Amino acid sequence: MSETDRGTETKVDEAESAALDLANVSDADRSAALRAVADAIEDAEERVLAANEKDVAAAEERLEAGDYTRAFVDRLTLDAAKIESIAEMVRSVAAQDDPLGETLAARRLDDALELYEVGVPIGVVATVFESRPDALVQIAALALKSGNAVILKGGSEATHSNRVLFDVVRDATCAGSSESEREGESPRDGERERPRDASATMPDGWAQLIEAREDVDTLLGMDESVDLVMPRGSSAFVQYVQDNTKIPVLGHTEGVCHVYVDRDADLGMAADVAFDAKVQYPAVCNAVETLLVHESVADDFLPGMVERYADAGVELRGDADVREIVDVDPASEADWSREYGDLVLSLKVVDSLDAAVDHVNAYGSKHTESILTEDADRAGDFMTRVDAASVFHNASTRFADGYRYGLGAEVGISTGKIHARGPVGLDGLTTYKYYLEGDGQLVASYAGENPRPFLHEEFEGEWVPGHLASDQ
Amino acid sequence: MSETDRGTETKVDEAESAALDLANVSDADRSAALRAVADAIEDAEERVLAANEKDVAAAEERLEAGDYTRAFVDRLTLDAAKIESIAEMVRSVAAQDDPLGETLAARRLDDALELYEVGVPIGVVATVFESRPDALVQIAALALKSGNAVILKGGSEATHSNRVLFDVVRDATCAGSSESEREGESPRDGERERPRDASATMPDGWAQLIEAREDVDTLLGMDESVDLVMPRGSSAFVQYVQDNTKIPVLGHTEGVCHVYVDRDADLGMAADVAFDAKVQYPAVCNAVETLLVHESVADDFLPGMVERYADAGVELRGDADVREIVDVDPASEADWSREYGDLVLSLKVVDSLDAAVDHVNAYGSKHTESILTEDADRAGDFMTRVDAASVFHNASTRFADGYRYGLGAEVGISTGKIHARGPVGLDGLTTYKYYLEGDGQLVASYAGENPRPFLHEEFEGEWVPGHLASDQ
């Protein structure tokens, strides 16, 4: 039976069951399994490239029909170097510190009554992601390293690539995915040079692939079984997920980011940062969409900046104050809350730092904001008063990214304020659990007429099950 | 204009604006404001008691009509001692460590490019709570200490009490709540013995009271402005909130908690804990609903336990194995997932620790689970494999509570796995923000042909705005 034939409910149930087991797999075993995935991806290069060719061929047809852009097809396309970098990414996730088992707090409630708050996986995490085939492997790797079962739904444009990559990940980690179950699938072209090793001991079903859009709707209805859903992709799609599920959602619909050039900015630095933030990769959510310029430097700053943007093909829209200084199209009210995702930028002159903060808090999407200034107090003022996941001083908004932040990789970027903010890596895939060790304590002793008082003393210590009993 | 006349949208907008300012109020000022609240509550004792009398009189009528229980009316009733304990609770929240501003991580991405993850308030938190008037003050105090604006909706049975308590909290913290706005309200009976002091400097509008059920629906629709909603009260109501909002929800619908008496339990201790967990306060969510007993101790344990429960008026329901040992009513399948919230308990014999774990994971509500055993390995096995916010060894489930955990107080108990689990105190009302300090870095330098590598070194340090510039 192929993955596509099995029902989404079955897959989610399997993931839920696997999650309970995976929560207690050691970091050594999870990391060994990830290294086996990396090896298996390298071994499967031919099969992955063959599948990817099918996706790319279909995409090329739609490129000719005008449905897709060249950049879109490029992102979909794998080659030997990209496969090697995917394998290396998996190895780097394996090498990260164990995100689980950390004692976050230890508190003695009373003699022989000890409370421990310990990091644990979330459980079942569902992700719906765009058409870059490396996304499937990245998300699966982060999920496994953090002990979570994962439901993977990739873009339909990458169906063939995702199917093969998923098979490789599953076969490298689960002994139970028997060959006979997959009869009728495409043969494996002699790729099994390395023997299936002992690392294929992850709980069967920890990773699940779903493919059809209607399966997403089934998934979104399973709030009893799925603990978190992380949608990536278009704003409209993320909004659709938020509107159609009771499962907690982590993600972002829009990235309306600002760069604010303060009156005390180093204008040369500001020009470089503002340019990088728009031009280096305009299609992504951490690119700047509105440039705010303090009125006292606008005359000096704007003419050269506008020329530099224009040379790079950036379409500019300004408010009335901007248009008194430089010749650009007028910006409308709607421009201030638009994520262009392209070489388009709106420009606005503000008369104070307060006005910049107010504009950002009114129109920003709580993603990433940057101030350029040489005045430390003004930097601090802007950074503490702006409400966003990431607020930068003298740096490009484009740094807001899990890899650049040193998180290893990211499953997404959150503009919500609950659980995880900004780029979400391994830590964002964990939660905690309270363990209480006692020796028969009753709440009745701490209530009523002569209640026993609590101690509530913090202490340093790791939870060792039953250690109070063995002390005796 | 009274609180009831102003629209919910207006109130939420005011809270959203106040939240931005409150995020930057110092702990010293927030705590001083809380101490002023405690003083003001003591000063307002007569007015609070007069308002509470109206609520209690109405409730007594409904008690006679059979709508309410005596316990319900008792919980609603305030007296001088309860008011004093409310004031003390506020002072204890004020005395807690500042939950904000902590540097959770500091990482050097490159020379002069430093990333800091810093604790900040969530923003606007909405709470809908049951009819204990002390709940309003407790929630408001936790919100203010953690720098959050708060929307408060109490039970209609406590309307008069809540209105006066809300006025006291607001007047003690906000200078801007001008007298003229509240003309026509009941006069204050000479309670202003202490002058309004300098602590009344919290941002106007940080606390908002809403009263009508239809206002709750308006509130639940304002997902752009409200960052978190925490419903307390009946399962049906919490479910209603979860089903009718896109705002992240923290709370619990049910508390189906278990006590498992293992084959290696100290049976005397087990009997005391199982008794406490059911009888000490059966109406609350952390009371036990199903007692699981290992088959090898069932003959020894059940007869005495059942007699003790029966003497305390506990109605018992058992599975077939239990009924072979003791004479109790049969339990149906539905009993295993029921939160009785009363002196009712279901009993089940299990043939192994595995069976106990499976039963808890199948029927529990991820709230609180307890194992009684003298075997440390078996304790660890149960505790790591059971998926619940709190898992106890040799202690009563009734300990799952913010006050007992040493959190100072709680805004609720979460059975979800995202953001905060179990009893939610000050930490659960915070999130974090990334601050990046640079000196003009561009992402272009770290991409392309000869990318500059990242350092990604963790270091110890607090974020000081602009300190890189001032080093130079």
Side-chain angles (χ1 to χ4, degrees), chain A residues 16 20-21 23-24 107 109 113 115 117 120-124 223-224 227-228 239 242-243 245-246 248 250 269 272-274 276 280 308 361 366 372-377 379-400 402-407 416-424 427-428 430-448 454 456 458 463 465-467 469-470 472, chain B residues 16 20-21 23-24 107 109 113 115 117 120-124 223-224 227-228 239 242-243 245-246 248 250 269 272-274 276 280 308 361 366 372-377 379-400 402-407 416-424 427-428 430-448 454 456 458 463 465-467 469-470 472:
Chain A
E16 198 179 5
L20 292 170
D21 293 331
N24 291 301
R107 191 176 297 126
L109 308 189
L113 188 63
L115 183 71
E117 188 184 342
V120 298
I122 290 173
V124 178
D223 54 290
E224 294 286 323
D227 297 302
L228 179 67
Q239 189 69 54
Q242 288 176 337
D243 291 352
T245 190
K246 285 188 266 175
L250 220 57
M269 179 195 291
D272 289 343
V273 166
D276 185 84
Q280 197 266 336
R308 194 164 161 193
N361 283 338
K366 299 188 168 74
L372 277 299
T373 188
E374 298 301 297
D375 183 310
D377 289 342
D381 200 18
F382 180 89
M383 294 168 84
T384 51
R385 289 171 57 204
V386 157
D387 184 17
S390 297
V391 190
F392 295 175
H393 175 208
N394 289 350
S396 169
T397 54
R398 292 273 298 112
F399 281 103
Y403 167 66
R404 292 180 196 123
Y405 274 14
L407 308 181
K417 298 170 81 173
I418 300 305
H419 189 71
R421 278 187 111 173
V424 180
D427 279 350
T430 68
T431 181
Y432 58 84
K433 189 170 171 179
Y434 284 108
Y435 291 123
L436 182 67
E437 288 284 339
D439 65 355
Q441 282 85 353
L442 314 177
V443 162
S445 320
Y446 300 83
F454 285 101
H456 290 157
E458 311 283 326
W463 173 56
H467 80 99
S470 49
Q472 291 167 349
Chain B
E16 198 179 5
L20 292 170
D21 293 331
N24 291 301
R107 190 176 298 124
L109 307 190
L113 188 63
L115 182 72
E117 187 185 344
V120 298
I122 290 173
V124 178
D223 55 290
E224 294 286 323
D227 297 301
L228 179 67
Q239 191 69 55
Q242 288 175 337
D243 292 353
T245 190
K246 285 188 264 175
L250 219 58
M269 180 196 290
D272 289 344
V273 166
D276 184 83
Q280 197 264 337
R308 195 164 161 192
N361 284 337
K366 299 187 167 76
L372 277 299
T373 188
E374 298 301 297
D375 184 310
D377 290 342
D381 201 16
F382 180 88
M383 294 169 84
T384 50
R385 289 171 56 203
V386 157
D387 183 18
S390 297
V391 191
F392 296 175
H393 175 208
N394 289 348
S396 169
T397 54
R398 292 272 298 110
F399 281 103
Y403 167 67
R404 291 178 197 124
Y405 274 13
L407 308 182
K417 298 169 82 173
I418 300 305
H419 188 72
R421 277 187 111 173
V424 180
D427 279 351
T430 67
T431 182
Y432 58 82
K433 186 170 171 179
Y434 285 108
Y435 292 122
L436 182 67
E437 288 284 338
D439 64 356
Q441 283 86 352
L442 314 177
V443 162
S445 319
Y446 301 83
F454 285 101
H456 290 156
E458 311 282 325
W463 173 57
H467 80 98
S470 49
Q472 289 167 349

Side-chain angles (χ1 to χ4, degrees), chain B residues 5-157:
Chain B
D5 296 335
R6 294 165 56 244
T8 301
E9 288 92 345
T10 307
K11 293 178 183 179
V12 173
D13 287 346
E14 286 178 8
E16 198 179 5
S17 169
L20 292 170
D21 293 331
L22 188 55
N24 291 301
V25 172
S26 71
D27 182 52
D29 287 350
R30 281 179 270 122
S31 300
L34 284 172
R35 289 190 296 271
V37 167
D39 292 346
I41 287 170
E42 289 172 344
D43 290 347
E45 180 185 311
E46 275 182 45
R47 187 157 61 107
V48 174
L49 290 180
N52 185 248
E53 267 171 34
K54 290 185 205 167
D55 290 328
V56 172
E60 293 278 1
E61 279 177 32
R62 297 195 56 181
L63 171 65
E64 277 170 41
D67 296 337
Y68 292 161
T69 64
R70 170 51 58 193
F72 180 92
V73 179
D74 287 350
R75 281 198 295 276
L76 180 63
T77 307
L78 293 174
D79 57 25
K82 277 195 192 168
I83 287 179
E84 184 50 37
S85 78
I86 291 172
E88 280 311 309
M89 178 274 296
V90 175
R91 289 190 183 101
S92 85
V93 170
Q96 295 265 320
D97 289 340
D98 185 7
L100 305 178
E102 194 187 350
T103 300
L104 306 167
R107 190 176 298 124
R108 190 166 287 110
L109 307 190
D110 195 355
D111 293 332
L113 188 63
E114 297 176 357
L115 182 72
Y116 299 84
E117 187 185 344
V118 178
V120 298
I122 290 173
V124 178
V125 174
T127 59
V128 189
F129 49 92
E130 69 284 15
S131 306
R132 282 170 35 199
D134 51 332
L136 181 144
V137 182
Q138 186 180 84
I139 292 165
L142 289 166
L144 183 55
K145 179 75 183 181
S146 57
N148 290 285
V150 65
I151 319 285
L152 302 154
K153 162 72 176 79
S156 58
E157 306 82 7

Side-chain angles (χ1 to χ4, degrees), chain A residues 3-72:
Chain A
E3 284 301 314
T4 42
D5 296 334
R6 295 165 55 243
T8 302
E9 288 92 344
T10 307
K11 294 178 182 179
V12 173
D13 287 347
E14 286 177 9
E16 198 179 5
S17 169
L20 292 170
D21 293 331
L22 187 56
N24 291 301
V25 172
S26 70
D27 181 52
D29 287 351
R30 282 179 271 123
S31 300
L34 283 172
R35 289 190 297 269
V37 167
D39 292 346
I41 287 170
E42 289 171 344
D43 290 348
E45 180 185 311
E46 275 182 44
R47 186 156 62 105
V48 173
L49 290 179
N52 185 247
E53 268 172 31
K54 292 186 206 167
D55 291 328
V56 172
E60 293 277 1
E61 279 177 31
R62 297 197 55 184
L63 170 66
E64 277 170 41
D67 296 337
Y68 292 161
T69 63
R70 171 50 60 193
F72 181 92

Side-chain angles (χ1 to χ4, degrees), chain A residues 131-258:
Chain A
S131 305
R132 284 170 32 199
D134 51 332
L136 182 144
V137 182
Q138 185 180 85
I139 292 166
L142 288 166
L144 183 55
K145 178 75 183 182
S146 57
N148 290 286
V150 66
I151 319 285
L152 302 154
K153 162 73 175 78
S156 58
E157 306 82 7
T159 298
H160 296 93
S161 314
N162 283 337
R163 218 175 269 180
V164 170
L165 286 167
F166 175 78
D167 280 353
V168 170
V169 168
R170 186 191 50 187
D171 291 354
T173 55
C174 302
S177 51
S178 74
E179 298 296 321
S180 64
E181 275 193 13
R182 295 191 311 272
E183 279 181 287
E185 291 186 22
S186 58
R188 280 151 194 72
D189 310 315
E191 74 201 29
R192 265 295 155 58
E193 289 155 32
R194 290 180 242 222
R196 179 177 294 203
D197 64 39
S199 58
T201 57
M202 297 300 104
D204 277 352
W206 75 269
Q208 300 285 342
L209 181 69
I210 65 174
E211 297 189 327
R213 174 66 184 250
E214 50 271 29
D215 292 337
V216 173
D217 290 326
T218 307
L219 177 72
L220 294 182
M222 297 185 72
D223 54 290
E224 294 286 323
S225 304
V226 180
D227 297 302
L228 179 67
V229 60
M230 301 195 63
R232 310 205 306 197
S234 75
S235 295
F237 177 70
V238 176
Q239 189 69 54
Y240 176 84
V241 170
Q242 288 176 337
D243 291 352
N244 289 282
T245 190
K246 285 188 266 175
I247 304 168
V249 179
L250 220 57
H252 66 279
T253 50
E254 288 176 326
V256 180
C257 304
H258 301 77

Side-chain angles (χ1 to χ4, degrees), chain B residues 107-439:
Chain B
R107 190 176 298 124
R108 190 166 287 110
L109 307 190
D110 195 355
D111 293 332
L113 188 63
E114 297 176 357
L115 182 72
Y116 299 84
E117 187 185 344
V118 178
V120 298
I122 290 173
V124 178
V125 174
T127 59
V128 189
F129 49 92
E130 69 284 15
S131 306
R132 282 170 35 199
D134 51 332
L136 181 144
V137 182
Q138 186 180 84
I139 292 165
L142 289 166
L144 183 55
K145 179 75 183 181
S146 57
N148 290 285
V150 65
I151 319 285
L152 302 154
K153 162 72 176 79
S156 58
E157 306 82 7
T159 298
H160 295 93
S161 315
N162 283 338
R163 218 174 269 180
V164 170
L165 286 167
F166 175 78
D167 281 351
V168 170
V169 168
R170 185 190 52 185
D171 292 354
T173 54
C174 302
S177 51
S178 73
E179 297 296 321
S180 63
E181 275 194 12
R182 295 191 312 273
E183 278 181 287
E185 289 187 22
S186 60
R188 282 148 193 75
D189 309 315
E191 73 203 29
R192 269 290 157 62
E193 288 155 33
R194 289 180 242 223
R196 177 176 296 202
D197 64 38
S199 58
T201 56
M202 296 301 105
D204 277 351
W206 75 269
Q208 300 285 342
L209 181 69
I210 65 174
E211 297 190 327
R213 174 67 185 251
E214 51 272 28
D215 292 337
V216 173
D217 291 326
T218 306
L219 178 71
L220 295 180
M222 298 185 72
D223 55 290
E224 294 286 323
S225 304
V226 180
D227 297 301
L228 179 67
V229 59
M230 304 197 59
R232 313 204 306 198
S234 74
S235 295
F237 176 71
V238 176
Q239 191 69 55
Y240 175 84
V241 169
Q242 288 175 337
D243 292 353
N244 288 281
T245 190
K246 285 188 264 175
I247 304 167
V249 179
L250 219 58
H252 66 279
T253 50
E254 289 177 323
V256 180
C257 304
H258 300 76
V259 169
Y260 166 57
V261 180
D262 186 43
R263 67 164 196 223
D264 295 320
D266 172 331
L267 295 185
M269 180 196 290
D272 289 344
V273 166
F275 188 81
D276 184 83
K278 179 79 256 181
V279 177
Q280 197 264 337
Y281 197 171
V284 288
C285 58
N286 56 16
V288 66
E289 308 296 353
T290 299
L291 181 64
L292 302 170
V293 182
H294 194 281
E295 61 179 9
S296 67
V297 296
D299 285 325
D300 285 345
F301 181 74
L302 280 173
M305 189 75 237
V306 161
E307 195 181 331
R308 195 164 161 192
Y309 276 137
D311 288 348
V314 179
E315 180 191 326
L316 297 166
R317 304 174 187 180
D319 72 350
D321 293 334
V322 168
R323 282 155 48 81
E324 281 184 15
I325 303 168
V326 287
D327 179 27
V328 297
D329 287 339
S332 68
E333 172 68 17
D335 277 300
W336 307 128
S337 41
R338 273 266 270 293
E339 180 177 20
Y340 302 114
D342 206 343
L343 288 174
V344 185
L345 183 73
S346 55
L347 306 169
K348 183 180 172 73
V349 169
V350 291
D351 61 7
S352 63
L353 188 139
D354 284 355
V357 168
D358 290 347
H359 182 93
V360 169
N361 284 337
Y363 295 102
S365 61
K366 299 187 167 76
H367 191 298
T368 303
E369 310 295 346
S370 181
I371 180 173
L372 277 299
T373 188
E374 298 301 297
D375 184 310
D377 290 342
R378 291 173 69 85
D381 201 16
F382 180 88
M383 294 169 84
T384 50
R385 289 171 56 203
V386 157
D387 183 18
S390 297
V391 191
F392 296 175
H393 175 208
N394 289 348
S396 169
T397 54
R398 292 272 298 110
F399 281 103
D401 166 274
Y403 167 67
R404 291 178 197 124
Y405 274 13
L407 308 182
E410 70 186 25
V411 282
I413 292 185
S414 169
T415 54
K417 298 169 82 173
I418 300 305
H419 188 72
R421 277 187 111 173
V424 180
L426 291 170
D427 279 351
L429 292 175
T430 67
T431 182
Y432 58 82
K433 186 170 171 179
Y434 285 108
Y435 292 122
L436 182 67
E437 288 284 338
D439 64 356

Side-chain angles (χ1 to χ4, degrees), chain A residues 82-134:
Chain A
K82 276 195 192 170
I83 287 179
E84 183 50 36
S85 78
I86 292 172
E88 280 312 309
M89 178 273 297
V90 174
R91 290 190 183 102
S92 85
V93 170
Q96 295 265 320
D97 289 341
D98 185 8
L100 305 178
E102 192 188 351
T103 300
L104 306 168
R107 191 176 297 126
R108 189 166 287 112
L109 308 189
D110 196 355
D111 294 331
L113 188 63
E114 296 175 358
L115 183 71
Y116 300 84
E117 188 184 342
V118 178
V120 298
I122 290 173
V124 178
V125 175
T127 59
V128 189
F129 48 92
E130 70 284 14
S131 305
R132 284 170 32 199
D134 51 332

